[in-house]
Every structure is written in C-alpha cells, then in structure tokens.
Coordinates of all heavy atoms in Angstrom, one line a residue:
M1 N 93.9 -186.6 222.7 CA 94.7 -186.5 223.9 C 94.1 -187.3 225.0 O 93.0 -187.3 225.2 CB 94.7 -184.9 224.3 CG 95.6 -184.7 225.6 SD 95.6 -183.1 226.4 CE 95.4 -181.9 225.1
T2 N 95.0 -188.0 225.7 CA 94.6 -188.7 226.9 C 95.3 -188.2 228.1 O 96.5 -188.0 228.1 CB 95.0 -190.2 226.7 OG1 94.4 -190.7 225.5 CG2 94.6 -191.1 227.8
I3 N 94.5 -188.0 229.2 CA 95.1 -187.5 230.4 C 94.7 -188.5 231.5 O 93.6 -188.9 231.6 CB 94.4 -186.1 230.8 CG1 94.7 -185.1 229.7 CG2 95.0 -185.7 232.1 CD1 93.9 -183.8 229.9
S4 N 95.8 -189.0 232.1 CA 95.6 -190.0 233.1 C 95.2 -189.5 234.5 O 95.3 -188.3 234.7 CB 97.0 -190.8 233.3 OG 97.9 -190.0 234.1
H5 N 94.6 -190.4 235.2 CA 94.1 -190.1 236.6 C 95.3 -189.5 237.4 O 95.2 -188.6 238.2 CB 93.5 -191.3 237.2 CG 92.8 -191.0 238.5 ND1 93.3 -191.4 239.7 CD2 91.6 -190.4 238.8 CE1 92.5 -191.0 240.7 NE2 91.5 -190.4 240.2
A6 N 96.4 -190.1 237.3 CA 97.6 -189.7 238.0 C 98.0 -188.3 237.6 O 98.4 -187.5 238.5 CB 98.8 -190.7 237.7
E7 N 97.9 -187.9 236.4 CA 98.2 -186.6 235.9 C 97.3 -185.5 236.5 O 97.7 -184.4 236.9 CB 98.2 -186.5 234.4 CG 99.4 -187.2 233.7 CD 99.2 -187.2 232.2 OE1 98.1 -187.7 231.7 OE2 100.1 -186.8 231.5
I8 N 96.0 -185.9 236.6 CA 95.0 -185.0 237.2 C 95.4 -184.8 238.7 O 95.4 -183.7 239.2 CB 93.6 -185.6 237.0 CG1 93.2 -185.5 235.5 CG2 92.6 -184.8 237.8 CD1 92.0 -186.3 235.2
L9 N 95.6 -185.9 239.4 CA 96.0 -185.8 240.8 C 97.3 -185.0 241.0 O 97.3 -184.1 241.9 CB 96.2 -187.1 241.4 CG 94.9 -188.0 241.6 CD1 95.2 -189.4 242.1 CD2 93.9 -187.3 242.5
Q10 N 98.2 -185.2 240.2 CA 99.5 -184.3 240.3 C 99.2 -182.9 240.0 O 99.8 -182.0 240.8 CB 100.6 -184.9 239.3 CG 101.9 -184.2 239.3 CD 102.6 -184.3 240.7 OE1 102.5 -185.3 241.4 NE2 103.2 -183.2 241.1
S11 N 98.4 -182.6 239.1 CA 98.1 -181.2 238.8 C 97.3 -180.5 239.9 O 97.6 -179.4 240.3 CB 97.2 -181.1 237.5 OG 98.0 -181.5 236.4
L12 N 96.3 -181.3 240.5 CA 95.6 -180.7 241.7 C 96.6 -180.5 242.8 O 96.6 -179.4 243.5 CB 94.5 -181.7 242.1 CG 93.3 -181.7 241.2 CD1 92.4 -182.9 241.6 CD2 92.5 -180.4 241.3
H13 N 97.5 -181.4 243.0 CA 98.5 -181.3 244.1 C 99.3 -180.0 243.9 O 99.6 -179.3 244.8 CB 99.3 -182.6 244.2 CG 100.4 -182.5 245.2 ND1 100.2 -182.6 246.5 CD2 101.8 -182.2 245.1 CE1 101.3 -182.5 247.2 NE2 102.3 -182.3 246.4
E14 N 99.8 -179.8 242.6 CA 100.6 -178.6 242.3 C 99.8 -177.3 242.5 O 100.4 -176.4 243.0 CB 101.2 -178.8 240.9 CG 102.2 -179.9 240.8 CD 102.7 -180.1 239.4 OE1 102.4 -179.3 238.5 OE2 103.4 -181.1 239.1
L15 N 98.6 -177.4 242.1 CA 97.8 -176.1 242.3 C 97.6 -175.8 243.7 O 97.6 -174.6 244.1 CB 96.4 -176.3 241.6 CG 96.4 -176.3 240.0 CD1 95.1 -176.8 239.5 CD2 96.8 -174.9 239.5
I16 N 97.4 -176.8 244.6 CA 97.2 -176.6 246.0 C 98.6 -176.1 246.6 O 98.6 -175.1 247.4 CB 96.7 -177.8 246.7 CG1 95.3 -178.1 246.3 CG2 96.9 -177.7 248.2 CD1 94.8 -179.5 246.7
E17 N 99.7 -176.7 246.2 CA 101.0 -176.3 246.7 C 101.3 -174.9 246.3 O 101.9 -174.1 247.1 CB 102.1 -177.2 246.1 CG 102.1 -178.6 246.7 CD 102.6 -178.6 248.1 OE1 103.7 -178.0 248.4 OE2 101.9 -179.2 249.0
M18 N 100.9 -174.4 245.1 CA 101.2 -173.0 244.7 C 100.2 -172.0 245.3 O 100.4 -170.8 245.1 CB 101.1 -173.0 243.1 CG 102.2 -173.6 242.5 SD 102.2 -173.4 240.6 CE 100.7 -174.2 240.1
G19 N 99.1 -172.5 246.0 CA 98.2 -171.7 246.6 C 97.1 -171.3 245.6 O 96.3 -170.3 245.9
F20 N 97.0 -171.9 244.4 CA 96.0 -171.5 243.4 C 94.6 -172.2 243.6 O 93.6 -171.9 243.0 CB 96.5 -171.8 242.1 CG 97.7 -170.9 241.7 CD1 98.4 -171.3 240.6 CD2 98.0 -169.8 242.4 CE1 99.6 -170.5 240.2 CE2 99.1 -169.0 242.0 CZ 99.9 -169.4 241.0
A21 N 94.6 -173.3 244.5 CA 93.4 -174.0 244.7 C 93.4 -174.5 246.2 O 94.5 -174.6 246.8 CB 93.3 -175.2 243.7
K22 N 92.2 -174.9 246.7 CA 92.1 -175.5 248.0 C 91.1 -176.6 247.9 O 90.2 -176.6 247.0 CB 91.6 -174.5 249.0 CG 92.6 -173.5 249.4 CD 92.1 -172.7 250.6 CE 93.2 -171.7 251.0 NZ 93.8 -171.8 252.3
A23 N 91.3 -177.6 248.8 CA 90.4 -178.7 248.7 C 89.5 -178.6 250.0 O 89.9 -178.3 251.1 CB 91.2 -180.0 248.8
W24 N 88.2 -179.0 249.8 CA 87.2 -179.0 250.8 C 86.4 -180.2 250.9 O 86.2 -180.9 249.9 CB 86.2 -177.8 250.6 CG 86.8 -176.5 250.7 CD1 87.6 -175.8 249.8 CD2 86.8 -175.6 251.9 NE1 88.0 -174.6 250.3 CE2 87.5 -174.5 251.5 CE3 86.2 -175.7 253.1 CZ2 87.6 -173.4 252.5 CZ3 86.3 -174.7 254.0 CH2 87.0 -173.5 253.7
R25 N 85.9 -180.6 252.1 CA 84.9 -181.7 252.2 C 83.6 -181.0 252.5 O 83.5 -180.2 253.4 CB 85.3 -182.6 253.3 CG 84.2 -183.7 253.6 CD 84.5 -184.5 254.7 NE 85.6 -185.3 254.3 CZ 85.8 -186.6 254.5 NH1 84.8 -187.3 255.2 NH2 86.8 -187.3 254.1
L26 N 82.6 -181.2 251.6 CA 81.3 -180.6 251.7 C 80.3 -181.8 252.0 O 80.5 -182.9 251.5 CB 81.0 -179.9 250.5 CG 82.0 -178.8 250.1 CD1 81.5 -178.1 248.7 CD2 82.2 -177.7 251.1
S27 N 79.3 -181.5 252.7 CA 78.3 -182.5 253.0 C 76.8 -181.9 252.9 O 76.7 -180.7 253.2 CB 78.5 -183.0 254.4 OG 77.4 -183.8 254.8
C28 N 75.9 -182.7 252.4 CA 74.5 -182.3 252.3 C 73.7 -182.8 253.5 O 72.5 -182.7 253.6 CB 73.9 -182.7 251.0 SG 73.9 -184.5 250.8
W29 N 74.4 -183.4 254.5 CA 73.8 -184.0 255.7 C 74.0 -183.2 256.9 O 74.0 -183.7 258.0 CB 74.3 -185.4 255.9 CG 73.9 -186.4 254.8 CD1 72.7 -186.9 254.5 CD2 74.8 -186.9 253.7 NE1 72.7 -187.6 253.4 CE2 74.0 -187.6 252.9 CE3 76.1 -186.7 253.4 CZ2 74.5 -188.3 251.7 CZ3 76.6 -187.3 252.3 CH2 75.8 -188.1 251.5
G30 N 74.2 -181.9 256.8 CA 74.2 -181.0 257.9 C 75.6 -180.8 258.6 O 75.7 -180.1 259.6
E31 N 76.6 -181.5 258.1 CA 78.0 -181.5 258.6 C 78.6 -180.1 258.1 O 78.3 -179.8 256.9 CB 78.8 -182.6 258.2 CG 78.3 -183.9 258.7 CD 79.1 -185.1 258.0 OE1 80.1 -184.9 257.4 OE2 78.6 -186.2 258.2
P32 N 79.3 -179.5 258.9 CA 80.0 -178.2 258.5 C 81.1 -178.5 257.4 O 81.7 -179.5 257.5 CB 80.6 -177.6 259.7 CG 80.7 -178.7 260.6 CD 79.6 -179.7 260.3
P33 N 81.3 -177.5 256.5 CA 82.4 -177.7 255.5 C 83.7 -177.9 256.3 O 83.9 -177.3 257.3 CB 82.3 -176.5 254.7 CG 81.0 -175.9 254.9 CD 80.6 -176.3 256.3
M34 N 84.6 -178.6 255.7 CA 86.0 -178.8 256.3 C 87.0 -178.5 255.2 O 87.0 -179.1 254.1 CB 86.1 -180.2 256.8 CG 87.5 -180.4 257.5 SD 87.9 -182.1 257.8 CE 88.5 -182.6 256.2
E35 N 87.9 -177.6 255.5 CA 89.0 -177.3 254.6 C 90.2 -178.3 254.9 O 90.6 -178.5 256.0 CB 89.5 -175.9 254.7 CG 90.7 -175.6 253.7 CD 91.2 -174.1 253.9 OE1 90.5 -173.3 254.6 OE2 92.3 -173.9 253.4
Y36 N 90.6 -178.9 253.8 CA 91.8 -179.9 254.0 C 93.1 -179.0 254.1 O 93.2 -178.0 253.5 CB 92.0 -180.8 252.8 CG 90.9 -181.9 252.7 CD1 89.8 -181.7 251.9 CD2 91.1 -183.1 253.4 CE1 88.9 -182.7 251.8 CE2 90.2 -184.1 253.3 CZ 89.0 -183.9 252.5 OH 88.1 -184.9 252.4
E37 N 94.0 -179.5 254.9 CA 95.3 -178.9 254.9 C 96.2 -179.6 253.8 O 96.6 -180.8 253.9 CB 96.0 -179.2 256.2 CG 95.3 -178.4 257.4 CD 95.5 -176.9 257.3 OE1 96.5 -176.4 256.8 OE2 94.5 -176.2 257.6
G38 N 96.3 -178.9 252.7 CA 97.1 -179.5 251.5 C 96.1 -180.5 250.8 O 94.9 -180.3 250.7
M39 N 96.8 -181.4 250.1 CA 96.1 -182.3 249.3 C 95.4 -183.4 250.1 O 95.9 -183.9 251.1 CB 97.1 -183.1 248.4 CG 96.5 -184.0 247.3 SD 95.7 -183.1 246.1 CE 95.1 -184.5 245.0
P40 N 94.0 -183.6 249.8 CA 93.3 -184.6 250.6 C 93.8 -186.0 250.4 O 94.5 -186.3 249.4 CB 91.9 -184.5 250.1 CG 91.9 -183.6 249.0 CD 93.3 -183.0 248.9
P41 N 93.5 -186.9 251.3 CA 93.9 -188.3 251.1 C 93.3 -188.9 249.8 O 92.2 -188.5 249.5 CB 93.4 -189.0 252.3 CG 93.0 -188.0 253.3 CD 92.8 -186.7 252.6
L42 N 93.9 -189.8 249.2 CA 93.5 -190.4 247.9 C 92.1 -191.0 248.1 O 91.3 -190.9 247.2 CB 94.4 -191.5 247.4 CG 94.2 -192.0 246.1 CD1 94.1 -191.0 245.0 CD2 95.3 -193.1 245.7
E43 N 91.8 -191.6 249.2 CA 90.5 -192.2 249.4 C 89.4 -191.2 249.4 O 88.2 -191.4 248.9 CB 90.4 -193.1 250.6 CG 90.7 -192.4 251.9 CD 92.2 -192.5 252.3 OE1 93.0 -192.9 251.5 OE2 92.4 -192.0 253.4
D44 N 89.7 -190.0 249.8 CA 88.7 -188.9 249.8 C 88.5 -188.3 248.4 O 87.4 -187.9 248.0 CB 89.0 -187.7 250.7 CG 88.9 -188.1 252.2 OD1 88.4 -189.2 252.5 OD2 89.2 -187.2 253.0
V45 N 89.6 -188.3 247.6 CA 89.5 -187.8 246.3 C 88.7 -188.9 245.4 O 87.9 -188.4 244.5 CB 90.9 -187.6 245.6 CG1 90.8 -187.2 244.2 CG2 91.6 -186.6 246.4
K46 N 88.8 -190.1 245.6 CA 88.2 -191.2 244.9 C 86.6 -191.3 245.2 O 85.9 -191.6 244.4 CB 88.8 -192.5 245.1 CG 90.1 -192.6 244.4 CD 90.7 -194.1 244.6 CE 91.9 -194.3 243.7 NZ 92.5 -195.6 243.9
H47 N 86.3 -190.9 246.4 CA 84.9 -191.1 246.9 C 84.0 -190.0 246.1 O 84.4 -188.8 246.0 CB 84.8 -190.8 248.4 CG 83.5 -191.1 248.9 ND1 82.6 -190.2 249.0 CD2 83.0 -192.3 249.4 CE1 81.4 -190.7 249.5 NE2 81.7 -192.0 249.8
P48 N 82.9 -190.4 245.6 CA 82.1 -189.4 244.8 C 81.8 -188.1 245.5 O 81.7 -187.1 244.9 CB 80.8 -190.2 244.5 CG 81.2 -191.6 244.6 CD 82.3 -191.7 245.6
W49 N 81.6 -188.2 246.8 CA 81.2 -187.0 247.6 C 82.3 -186.6 248.5 O 82.1 -185.9 249.5 CB 79.9 -187.1 248.3 CG 78.8 -187.5 247.4 CD1 78.3 -188.8 247.3 CD2 78.2 -186.8 246.4 NE1 77.2 -188.8 246.4 CE2 77.2 -187.6 245.7 CE3 78.3 -185.5 245.9 CZ2 76.4 -187.2 244.7 CZ3 77.5 -185.0 244.9 CH2 76.6 -185.9 244.3
G50 N 83.6 -187.0 248.2 CA 84.7 -186.8 249.2 C 85.3 -185.4 249.1 O 85.1 -184.6 250.1
A51 N 86.0 -185.0 248.2 CA 86.8 -183.8 248.1 C 86.3 -182.9 247.0 O 86.1 -183.4 245.9 CB 88.3 -184.1 248.0
Y52 N 86.2 -181.7 247.2 CA 85.9 -180.7 246.2 C 87.1 -179.7 246.1 O 87.7 -179.4 247.1 CB 84.6 -179.9 246.5 CG 83.4 -180.7 246.4 CD1 83.1 -181.6 247.5 CD2 82.6 -180.8 245.3 CE1 81.9 -182.4 247.4 CE2 81.5 -181.5 245.2 CZ 81.1 -182.3 246.3 OH 80.0 -183.1 246.2
F53 N 87.4 -179.2 244.9 CA 88.5 -178.3 244.7 C 88.0 -177.0 244.2 O 87.2 -177.0 243.2 CB 89.5 -178.9 243.7 CG 90.1 -180.2 244.2 CD1 89.5 -181.4 244.0 CD2 91.2 -180.3 245.0 CE1 90.0 -182.6 244.4 CE2 91.8 -181.4 245.5 CZ 91.1 -182.6 245.2
Y54 N 88.5 -175.9 244.8 CA 88.0 -174.6 244.5 C 89.2 -173.6 244.2 O 90.2 -173.8 244.9 CB 87.1 -174.0 245.6 CG 85.8 -174.7 245.6 CD1 85.6 -175.8 246.5 CD2 84.7 -174.4 244.8 CE1 84.4 -176.5 246.6 CE2 83.5 -175.1 244.8 CZ 83.4 -176.1 245.7 OH 82.2 -176.8 245.8
I55 N 89.0 -172.7 243.4 CA 90.1 -171.7 243.1 C 90.2 -170.8 244.3 O 89.2 -170.4 244.9 CB 89.7 -171.0 241.7 CG1 91.0 -170.2 241.2 CG2 88.5 -170.1 241.9 CD1 90.8 -169.7 239.8
T56 N 91.5 -170.3 244.5 CA 91.7 -169.3 245.6 C 91.7 -167.9 244.9 O 91.8 -167.8 243.7 CB 93.0 -169.6 246.3 OG1 94.0 -169.4 245.3 CG2 93.0 -171.0 246.9
P57 N 91.7 -166.8 245.7 CA 91.9 -165.5 245.1 C 93.1 -165.4 244.3 O 93.2 -164.8 243.3 CB 91.9 -164.6 246.3 CG 91.0 -165.3 247.3 CD 91.3 -166.8 247.1
E58 N 94.3 -166.0 244.8 CA 95.5 -166.0 244.1 C 95.4 -166.7 242.7 O 95.9 -166.3 241.7 CB 96.7 -166.6 245.0 CG 98.0 -166.4 244.4 CD 98.5 -165.0 244.3 OE1 98.1 -164.1 245.0 OE2 99.3 -164.7 243.3
G59 N 94.7 -167.9 242.8 CA 94.5 -168.6 241.5 C 93.7 -167.8 240.6 O 93.9 -167.9 239.4
M60 N 92.7 -167.0 241.1 CA 91.9 -166.2 240.2 C 92.6 -165.1 239.5 O 92.4 -164.8 238.4 CB 90.7 -165.6 241.0 CG 89.7 -164.9 240.1 SD 88.9 -166.0 238.8 CE 87.8 -166.9 239.8
K61 N 93.7 -164.5 240.2 CA 94.5 -163.6 239.7 C 95.2 -164.1 238.4 O 95.3 -163.5 237.4 CB 95.6 -163.1 240.7 CG 95.0 -162.1 241.7 CD 96.2 -161.7 242.6 CE 95.7 -161.2 243.9 NZ 96.9 -160.9 244.8
V62 N 95.7 -165.3 238.6 CA 96.4 -166.0 237.4 C 95.4 -166.3 236.3 O 95.7 -166.0 235.2 CB 97.1 -167.3 237.9 CG1 97.7 -168.1 236.8 CG2 98.2 -167.0 238.9
H63 N 94.2 -166.8 236.7 CA 93.2 -167.1 235.7 C 92.8 -165.9 234.9 O 92.6 -165.9 233.7 CB 92.1 -167.7 236.4 CG 90.9 -168.1 235.5 ND1 91.0 -169.0 234.6 CD2 89.6 -167.5 235.4 CE1 89.8 -169.1 233.9 NE2 89.0 -168.2 234.5
M64 N 92.7 -164.7 235.6 CA 92.1 -163.5 235.0 C 93.2 -162.6 234.4 O 92.9 -161.5 234.0 CB 91.2 -162.8 236.0 CG 90.1 -163.6 236.5 SD 88.9 -164.1 235.2 CE 88.2 -162.5 234.7
A65 N 94.5 -163.0 234.4 CA 95.5 -162.1 233.9 C 95.2 -161.7 232.5 O 94.8 -162.5 231.7 CB 96.9 -162.8 234.0
D66 N 95.4 -160.4 232.2 CA 95.1 -159.8 231.0 C 96.3 -159.7 230.1 O 96.9 -158.6 230.0 CB 94.5 -158.5 231.2 CG 93.9 -157.9 229.9 OD1 93.6 -158.7 229.0 OD2 93.7 -156.6 229.9
C67 N 96.7 -160.7 229.5 CA 97.9 -160.8 228.6 C 97.5 -161.6 227.4 O 97.1 -162.7 227.5 CB 99.1 -161.3 229.3 SG 99.7 -160.5 230.7
P68 N 97.7 -161.1 226.2 CA 97.4 -161.9 225.0 C 98.2 -163.1 224.9 O 99.5 -163.1 225.1 CB 97.7 -160.9 223.8 CG 98.4 -159.8 224.4 CD 98.2 -159.8 225.9
G69 N 97.7 -164.2 224.8 CA 98.4 -165.5 224.7 C 99.1 -165.9 226.0 O 99.9 -166.8 226.0
W70 N 98.8 -165.3 227.0 CA 99.5 -165.4 228.3 C 99.4 -166.9 228.8 O 98.3 -167.5 228.8 CB 98.8 -164.5 229.3 CG 99.4 -164.5 230.7 CD1 100.4 -163.8 231.1 CD2 99.0 -165.3 231.8 NE1 100.7 -164.1 232.4 CE2 99.8 -165.0 232.9 CE3 98.0 -166.3 231.9 CZ2 99.7 -165.6 234.1 CZ3 97.9 -166.9 233.2 CH2 98.7 -166.5 234.3
P71 N 100.4 -167.4 229.4 CA 101.7 -167.0 229.4 C 102.6 -167.6 228.3 O 103.8 -167.6 228.3 CB 102.2 -167.6 230.7 CG 101.5 -168.9 230.8 CD 100.2 -168.6 230.2
F72 N 102.0 -168.0 227.2 CA 102.6 -168.6 226.1 C 102.7 -167.7 224.9 O 101.9 -166.9 224.6 CB 101.9 -169.9 225.7 CG 101.8 -170.9 226.8 CD1 100.6 -171.0 227.5 CD2 102.8 -171.6 227.2 CE1 100.5 -171.9 228.6 CE2 102.8 -172.5 228.3 CZ 101.6 -172.6 229.0
D73 N 103.8 -167.9 224.1 CA 104.0 -167.1 222.9 C 103.2 -167.8 221.7 O 102.5 -168.8 221.9 CB 105.4 -166.9 222.5 CG 106.2 -168.2 222.2 OD1 105.6 -169.3 222.0 OD2 107.4 -168.2 222.3
D74 N 103.4 -167.3 220.5 CA 102.7 -167.9 219.3 C 103.0 -169.3 219.0 O 102.3 -170.0 218.3 CB 102.9 -167.0 218.1 CG 102.3 -165.6 218.2 OD1 101.4 -165.5 219.0 OD2 102.7 -164.6 217.5
N75 N 104.2 -169.8 219.5 CA 104.7 -171.1 219.2 C 104.3 -172.1 220.4 O 104.7 -173.2 220.4 CB 106.2 -171.2 219.1 CG 106.6 -170.4 217.8 OD1 106.0 -170.4 216.8 ND2 107.7 -169.6 217.9
G76 N 103.5 -171.6 221.3 CA 103.1 -172.4 222.5 C 104.2 -172.5 223.5 O 104.1 -173.4 224.4
E77 N 105.2 -171.8 223.4 CA 106.4 -171.8 224.4 C 106.1 -170.8 225.5 O 105.6 -169.7 225.2 CB 107.7 -171.5 223.7 CG 108.1 -172.4 222.5 CD 108.5 -173.8 223.0 OE1 109.1 -173.9 224.1 OE2 108.2 -174.7 222.3
L78 N 106.6 -171.1 226.7 CA 106.4 -170.2 227.8 C 107.3 -169.0 227.5 O 108.4 -169.1 227.1 CB 106.9 -170.8 229.1 CG 106.7 -170.1 230.4 CD1 105.2 -169.8 230.6 CD2 107.3 -170.8 231.6
R79 N 106.6 -167.8 227.6 CA 107.4 -166.6 227.3 C 108.5 -166.4 228.2 O 108.4 -166.6 229.4 CB 106.4 -165.4 227.3 CG 105.4 -165.4 226.3 CD 104.5 -164.2 226.2 NE 104.7 -163.3 227.4 CZ 103.7 -162.5 227.9 NH1 102.5 -162.5 227.3 NH2 103.9 -161.7 228.9
K80 N 109.6 -166.0 227.7 CA 110.9 -165.7 228.5 C 110.7 -164.6 229.5 O 111.3 -164.7 230.6 CB 112.1 -165.4 227.6 CG 112.3 -166.4 226.5 CD 113.0 -167.7 227.0 CE 113.4 -168.6 225.9 NZ 112.5 -169.8 225.7
D81 N 109.9 -163.6 229.2 CA 109.7 -162.5 230.1 C 108.5 -162.7 231.1 O 108.3 -161.8 231.9 CB 109.5 -161.1 229.3 CG 108.3 -161.2 228.4 OD1 107.7 -162.3 228.2 OD2 107.8 -160.1 228.0
W82 N 107.9 -163.8 231.0 CA 106.7 -164.0 231.9 C 107.1 -164.4 233.3 O 108.1 -165.1 233.5 CB 105.9 -165.2 231.4 CG 104.6 -165.4 232.2 CD1 103.5 -164.6 232.2 CD2 104.5 -166.4 233.1 NE1 102.6 -165.1 233.0 CE2 103.2 -166.3 233.7 CE3 105.2 -167.5 233.6 CZ2 102.7 -167.1 234.6 CZ3 104.7 -168.3 234.6 CH2 103.4 -168.2 235.1
T83 N 106.5 -163.8 234.3 CA 106.7 -164.1 235.7 C 105.3 -164.4 236.3 O 104.3 -163.7 235.9 CB 107.4 -163.0 236.5 OG1 106.7 -161.8 236.4 CG2 108.8 -162.8 236.0
S84 N 105.2 -165.3 237.3 CA 104.0 -165.6 237.9 C 103.5 -164.4 238.7 O 104.3 -163.6 239.2 CB 104.3 -166.7 238.9 OG 103.2 -166.9 239.8
P85 N 102.1 -164.2 238.7 CA 101.6 -163.0 239.5 C 102.0 -163.0 240.9 O 102.0 -162.0 241.6 CB 100.1 -163.2 239.3 CG 99.9 -164.0 238.1 CD 101.1 -164.9 238.0
S86 N 102.3 -164.2 241.5 CA 102.7 -164.2 242.9 C 104.2 -163.9 243.1 O 104.7 -163.8 244.2 CB 102.4 -165.6 243.5 OG 103.2 -166.6 242.8
A87 N 105.0 -163.8 242.0 CA 106.4 -163.5 242.1 C 106.7 -162.1 242.4 O 105.9 -161.2 242.2 CB 107.1 -163.9 240.8

C-alpha cells in the first residue's frame, strides 16, 4: 500500500475540520506553545519542527469507541446503522 503526502495532508485537514485533532507549534527554545486555528500552513507542516498534531477529547471518544469491528462490518464496509459519536 502506498500513501501519498497529499493523502496524509488531506486526512489531517479532515481530522481537524471534524474536531478530532488539533495542530500546535511547539518549541524547545523557550517559546510558548501556539495552537493553530485550523490546518497550519504547508511550510509549517513540512518543517521538521513546525507543526505537531494531537488528538482532541472528541477524537479520543471515536478512537476508544467500544464496538466490535467498529465502524466496519465483516466485509470492511461502513455499517449502515453506524453514526459518529458527535452526531
């Protein structure tokens, strides 16, 4: 399986839009952490110490949902009765 850089960026963007992740700028040089509003600029994402992505409490609810095979059925299809925890 090959995942492109563009697919990773799109997924991060979608996670941020859904409220499941947030982007932060962190520094080891004494600067205070800064939360980005939405997706950070591409140059910050490409920089090795630019942007960090962390799960939100809402994202953790989705991650920790206790459903067998959740949200997919045995065939790998999205279950018809599944709804997002935020719904």
Side-chain angles (χ1 to χ4, degrees):
M1 178 188 326
T2 302
I3 301 171
S4 72
H5 188 255
E7 289 173 305
I8 293 169
L9 291 175
Q10 180 62 37
S11 295
L12 286 169
H13 179 77
E14 290 174 11
L15 288 168
I16 289 170
E17 288 288 312
M18 291 187 296
F20 295 163
K22 288 193 180 240
W24 291 82
R25 176 182 291 224
L26 306 177
S27 172
C28 63
W29 293 286
E31 299 170 11
M34 180 194 82
E35 181 181 343
Y36 288 96
E37 292 295 324
M39 186 70 178
L42 186 55
E43 58 270 8
D44 286 0
V45 176
K46 286 184 174 182
H47 189 270
W49 305 108
Y52 292 82
F53 298 89
Y54 292 94
I55 194 167
T56 64
E58 188 64 26
M60 188 58 77
K61 286 182 199 173
V62 173
H63 177 69
M64 299 300 289
D66 188 22
C67 300
W70 181 89
F72 301 101
D73 65 16
D74 292 338
N75 297 320
E77 302 287 328
L78 188 61
R79 292 187 349 212
K80 304 285 187 257
D81 61 344
W82 182 78
T83 57
S84 167
S86 63

